Amino acid sequence: MKIASFNINGIKARINALADWLDEAQPDVAVLQEIKSVDEAFPSEIFEDRGYNVATHGQKSFNGVAIIAKCPLEDIVRGLPGDDADEQARWIEATVTGDHGAIRVCGLYLPNGNPAPGPKYDYKLGWMARLEARARALLAEEMPALMAGDYNIIPQPEDAARPEAWAEDALFLPQSRAAFHRVLNLGFTEAFRARHAGPGHYSFWDYQAGAWQKNNGIRIDHILLTPQAADLMQDCRIDRDIRGREKPSDHVPIWVDLAV
DNA sequence: ATGACTTGGGTGCCAAGA
């Protein structure tokens, strides 16, 4: 089962690029971030025409996440637990079942947090504390599960072409990275790093200042696997070339192949 | 050191992104 994550930076602006990617990559499941659409306006037909079931958790203008799957989406939950006052649509999860069993799939769009320090950074750290709580509960289930999405975290210096440029940024501050590693160290496997070592692997390139042409990228889209899911991993890749296409998102897809 | 792109809506500019 191929499970992908893709921050599409606006569903309306990405319909053609997204349709092309779906036709080629053929993920069985995908979590999408930054749909920037309310649920009622989400163009589900481009997915349904290709045999996907769709669940969205959107809001007006900003954020918004979705999950699509060629199999049924069961037990859909919208919103990250822990703060009933949080109105930002950044979390969705559902259970999908393949030929060899079920897996819980969580899609997330972690807050950017800039400028730091400030209220946006406080929100990021608070959100990550809630993520840690949900992560602990997932591990306690002792079943195949994953948390995939735009984490807005550069885990290590090798995950940025120019780490010095990010020293004061909310994506790379020690406190941000520590919060990410606290979640990871609960017992998750970071799928990409379990299979690919070394620098030069990125999932985001800024639209500005020729970042793509200079390969000035960062790796901020991640897939975290529970031990039961990690045992099933067969592959994990970043679809880098997507960034060079017509009207691209500033992120590219990352995906895992699991023997589910 | 600074600039610069792209998106959606609060529209002909603005906030937000990372």
Side-chain angles (χ1 to χ4, degrees):
Chain A
M1 179 182 286
K2 184 176 182 178
I3 303 176
S5 172
F6 193 1
N7 179 323
I8 58 175
N9 188 18
I11 184 67
K12 295 178 192 70
R14 214 66 60 214
I15 284 177
N16 291 334
L18 194 53
D20 290 344
W21 171 68
L22 286 173
D23 290 341
E24 293 167 31
Q26 293 281 333
D28 298 294
V29 182
V31 291
L32 308 175
Q33 302 89 38
E34 284 206 89
I35 65 173
K36 296 186 176 180
S37 168
V38 294
D39 295 337
E40 306 78 61
F42 190 79
S44 295
E45 61 279 3
I46 70 168
F47 303 99
E48 290 163 353
D49 289 349
R50 291 169 169 78
Y52 290 97
N53 298 294
V54 180
T56 60
H57 180 41
Q59 69 178 91
K60 195 173 179 182
S61 306
F62 305 121
N63 310 319
V65 289
I67 181 167
I68 65 169
K70 292 205 166 176
C71 55
L73 293 163
E74 299 172 280
D75 301 321
I76 299 163
V77 171
R78 295 170 173 84
L80 181 63
D83 182 1
D84 293 338
D86 185 0
E87 295 183 347
Q88 300 191 27
R90 296 178 175 276
W91 180 270
I92 191 169
E93 55 182 274
T95 298
V96 296
T97 303
D99 297 335
H100 304 99
I103 181 166
R104 189 73 175 162
V105 177
C106 306
L108 67 98
Y109 176 44
L110 205 149
N112 173 302
N114 282 303
K120 292 191 174 183
Y121 193 57
D122 295 341
Y123 176 69
K124 178 174 194 154
L125 294 179
W127 204 94
M128 293 185 80
R130 291 160 57 200
L131 174 65
E132 184 180 340
R134 182 69 192 99
R136 284 181 187 278
L138 267 184
L139 286 171
E141 301 276 333
E142 297 189 345
M143 70 173 276
L146 61 80
M147 304 190 299
D150 176 359
Y151 279 75
N152 271 316
I153 293 286
I154 302 166
Q156 302 289 355
E158 66 182 358
D159 296 312
R162 298 181 59 236
E164 68 281 4
W166 299 92
E168 309 298 322
D169 195 282
L171 278 62
F172 193 57
L173 282 173
Q175 215 177 343
S176 306
R177 295 168 56 199
F180 177 75
H181 287 112
R182 266 201 302 280
V183 175
L184 193 56
N185 292 340
L186 295 173
F188 287 87
T189 294
E190 208 238 277
F192 189 81
R193 278 304 182 206
R195 296 190 66 89
H196 307 281
H201 301 289
Y202 311 127
S203 67
F204 169 92
W205 295 259
D206 202 291
Y207 287 124
Q208 300 183 68
W212 166 247
Q213 289 74 11
K214 298 174 187 168
N215 196 25
N216 178 18
I218 51 178
R219 194 176 68 90
I220 57 174
D221 298 87
H222 310 299
I223 300 176
L224 270 55
L225 307 171
T226 65
Q228 295 78 15
D231 285 344
L232 303 173
M233 179 163 56
Q234 297 180 317
D235 203 357
C236 177
R237 293 177 189 273
I238 294 172
D239 284 342
R240 181 182 193 281
D241 293 349
I242 296 291
R243 186 62 178 81
R245 293 190 175 178
E246 191 82 9
K247 207 170 161 58
S249 170
D250 38 8
H251 295 251
V252 296
I254 176 175
W255 54 266
V256 285
D257 185 21
L258 303 178
V260 177

